[in-house]
Amino acid sequence: MNIHHLELFYYVARYEGITEAVRNIPYGIQQPAVSGQVIQLEEFLGTTLFQRRPFVLSVAGQELYS
């Protein structure tokens, strides 16, 4: 598991979406990179962490965010 992927997931969950997360991450990273890395985290965990549109954390996403 990549700790950076967890950090990006945290921002996505906190700001309720990738676009808002990118605007609030304190270092430069673009939306496609965040999306790709969150997908890698989901693949590693074997579960979906959130629904993209509209944004809603899945049960697994809620547990991870907690």
Side-chain angles (χ1 to χ4, degrees):
M1 181 181 303
N2 185 320
I3 192 76
H4 184 66
H5 294 169
L6 288 173
E7 177 186 27
L8 294 177
F9 168 74
Y10 165 78
Y11 279 103
V12 172
R14 179 176 178 192
Y15 291 103
E16 299 182 348
I18 292 174
T19 302
E20 284 302 311
V22 168
R23 290 182 183 145
N24 289 283
I25 293 173
Y27 49 87
I29 188 166
Q30 295 182 354
Q31 182 274 334
V34 173
S35 182
Q37 291 182 44
V38 170
I39 289 170
Q40 289 177 9
L41 177 62
E42 289 177 323
E43 289 173 355
F44 177 82
L45 296 173
T47 189
T48 301
L49 297 172
F50 55 88
Q51 176 181 315
R52 269 70 175 162
R53 291 189 181 156
F55 179 86
V56 177
L57 286 175
S58 67
V59 172
Q62 291 171 11
E63 291 175 8
L64 183 59
Y65 184 65
S66 294

